[in-house]
Amino acid sequence: YVFKLSTDDAQANVEELNKSLELQEQLINDIEKEVRDYENQINKTSKKDLAQRKDLNDKIKQTKERLKEKRVVQYRVLQTLQRV
């Protein structure tokens, strides 16, 4: 099987990957800010307010998990760009 790709097609693919990378970076920045906001909230929450602290800790954990997933996607996009 022979795969032919024009220079224009290859350039379009690289541009699409670059856009995807930029979007991933923006999304990662947004999620990192979300984590910081939750951490700031927890620092302002009374140590006696266990329910609120637990809720915030759960949100931090879930948000960090999303952040990890997005970083994996970003890594894959970078790997693809390096192959081009």
Side-chain angles (χ1 to χ4, degrees), residues 26-42 56 58-64 66-67 70:
Q26 182 179 3
L27 186 56
I28 287 171
N29 289 337
D30 291 346
I31 295 172
E32 287 174 339
K33 182 185 180 309
E34 192 175 337
V35 169
R36 286 191 305 273
D37 289 345
Y38 286 138
E39 288 172 342
N40 286 336
Q41 286 179 36
I42 206 167
L56 288 168
D58 289 346
K59 288 179 180 178
I60 289 169
K61 183 178 177 181
Q62 292 168 356
T63 306
K64 284 184 175 181
R66 278 188 15 242
L67 182 59
K70 297 305 176 188

Side-chain angles (χ1 to χ4, degrees), residues 8-20 80-81 84:
D8 290 340
D9 290 341
Q11 182 62 36
N13 288 340
V14 169
E15 288 173 7
E16 184 177 327
L17 287 169
N18 281 329
K19 286 179 186 176
S20 177
T80 303
L81 274 171
V84 174

